[in-house]
Every structure is written in C-alpha cells, then in structure tokens.
Amino acid sequence: MKVLYIEDDPRAAAELCELGWQQGDIIAVETDGQSGLRRAGIEAFDVIIMDRMLGDSDGLALVARLRDSGVSTPVLMLSALGRTSDRAEGLEAGADDYLAKPFEALELLARIRALHRRASGREHSAVILYGAFECHVKARTAFRSNRHLALSPREFELFRYFMENAGEVITREMLLFDVWNMAFDPQTNVVDVNIGRLRRKLEEGFDSPALETVWGSGYRLLEGRAEPRTEDQAP
C-alpha cells in the first residue's frame, strides 16, 4: 500500500515508517496539516492516516476539507481522545475509521488494510476463498473443505468479515463497528458470545482450529486445512 501519514510527532512517524517498510508498504509523512492536505490533493494514496490534534490544524477540519475538495481516499483518524462522542465526531467529519491512542501496531495495520480492501471493492467478490474456507457472498453460504456450514445470518456476517480480513488480527472494536454498526462499546459480551458460536460451527467435525484468539488483541481466522473427521474418528 501507499499510505500518507499526517503526524507532527517525529517518533510516532518514524515508528510507523519502519513498520510499513517491514510490511512492504510505502509510508509518506507530512508533519503539518496544511502540507498533508496539499499532498493528499495531488498524489494518489491507498489510505490516509491523520492525527486529530496537529500543531497547525484540527484533524476534524482537515478531513472535512478533504471531503469537500473531492478526495475520497479512506481516512483513519488517530487521537488520544477516545470517548464515544469523540469517535462520533471523527466519523461525522468524514473519517472512515477512528483509533484511540494508545494502540497496538497489529491493530493499526489490520485497520488500514481493511480500509484499503473496502475501498478497492474486493469485499464485493462473489466468492471469497481462504485456505479450506469458501464464502459465497450472494448465496450467503459458507463451506470448509467442501462441507457446508449452517450459519445464522449474524454468524455469516462475522464469517464474511473474517474472510475479507483473512489472516489478520480483528479486534473487538472492529467487529462492533463493521459488523454491528456500533460506534461505541455497549459493554456487553455480544461479540464474545457470537464468536464462540461461530467458532464451534467452523470447527465441528474437524481436528484443526479455525479461529485463533490473540490474547490482548482480538481474533484471527486460520486457513483450516484439515480433512473432516469420519464417524470412526469422531471422539
């Protein structure tokens, strides 16, 4: 990916550039809002990461100006302000996602890649394949090793989201925002309960796991390559 990072903290900018280099991405850095605004208007980027509180500019005003000028590049806003009202302000100003500081590098990477996929339209593929899994989007059917998985509507939406972000760590907040359309955490176990149900259906009858819990971060879909158990092999 080619990413524009508008950040006035040199240490934060250097850390993300190093991380991007390790992943094979190009991270262009602008240290003030006005320079970032100009560059976003003349160069093509896959994702823009913008700090909300810049020395010369307000990130909310900047992203609003970007949208007014016709720049549709996905914007991920970073901020130390993490209340529900702060997140709502960022999204209403035109940001596509909002991540409160401090955050884990894995989550930041997962979010910008998810934004990139969403913008490129790959999530609209008729069939998504990953390892032993198949997700037939229009038919709303799921398979593992050619075995049909009987998923409820909510479980299918979860499965589809994991397939769209296959192999990446998906946080609870990402699921709430993208699957449940919630810009806040309702402080319930709705995600955990539904993940548990989905995991059981993905793994029932197979000897290898399908969903990995990444402690302190979230969940990751595994490739699930394994032959189904036969009746003689069933425990």
Side-chain angles (χ1 to χ4, degrees), residues 106-115 117-118 157-180 191 195 211-222:
L106 281 175
E107 179 174 3
L108 177 61
L109 281 176
R111 286 180 181 247
I112 62 176
R113 294 192 188 287
L115 285 176
R117 273 191 299 275
R118 193 183 308 162
E157 290 302 323
L158 273 173
F159 176 68
R160 174 181 172 178
Y161 190 77
F162 275 107
M163 289 289 283
E164 290 169 355
N165 298 278
E168 297 178 4
V169 177
I170 305 300
T171 68
R172 190 172 184 273
E173 290 74 19
M174 292 168 70
L175 292 172
L176 284 169
F177 182 74
D178 290 322
V179 178
W180 274 269
V191 171
I195 287 290
L211 277 176
E212 174 189 15
T213 298
V214 182
W215 297 108
S217 298
Y219 307 93
R220 175 167 35 215
L221 181 67
L222 304 176

Side-chain angles (χ1 to χ4, degrees), residues 82-97:
R83 296 175 304 177
T84 300
S85 58
D86 299 320
R87 296 171 186 267
E89 285 179 346
L91 297 172
E92 289 172 1
D96 299 273
D97 199 358

Side-chain angles (χ1 to χ4, degrees), residues 77-195:
M77 184 168 287
L78 305 178
S79 177
L81 304 175
R83 296 175 304 177
T84 300
S85 58
D86 299 320
R87 296 171 186 267
E89 285 179 346
L91 297 172
E92 289 172 1
D96 299 273
D97 199 358
Y98 190 106
L99 183 59
K101 300 177 181 180
F103 51 81
E104 295 292 333
L106 281 175
E107 179 174 3
L108 177 61
L109 281 176
R111 286 180 181 247
I112 62 176
R113 294 192 188 287
L115 285 176
H116 182 212
R117 273 191 299 275
R118 193 183 308 162
S120 64
R122 276 180 283 177
E123 74 276 20
H124 298 303
S125 300
V127 180
I128 307 173
L129 304 176
Y130 178 67
F133 292 105
E134 296 180 31
C135 177
H136 294 247
V137 177
K138 292 183 179 179
R140 297 184 65 81
T141 52
F143 300 85
R144 179 178 180 181
S145 296
N146 297 317
R147 176 184 288 182
H148 178 255
L149 304 171
L151 305 182
S152 69
R154 179 64 70 188
E155 290 162 357
F156 178 82
E157 290 302 323
L158 273 173
F159 176 68
R160 174 181 172 178
Y161 190 77
F162 275 107
M163 289 289 283
E164 290 169 355
N165 298 278
E168 297 178 4
V169 177
I170 305 300
T171 68
R172 190 172 184 273
E173 290 74 19
M174 292 168 70
L175 292 172
L176 284 169
F177 182 74
D178 290 322
V179 178
W180 274 269
N181 297 313
M182 293 182 181
F184 62 93
D185 188 341
Q187 300 299 315
T188 69
N189 64 348
V190 62
V191 171
D192 310 282
V193 169
N194 281 273
I195 287 290

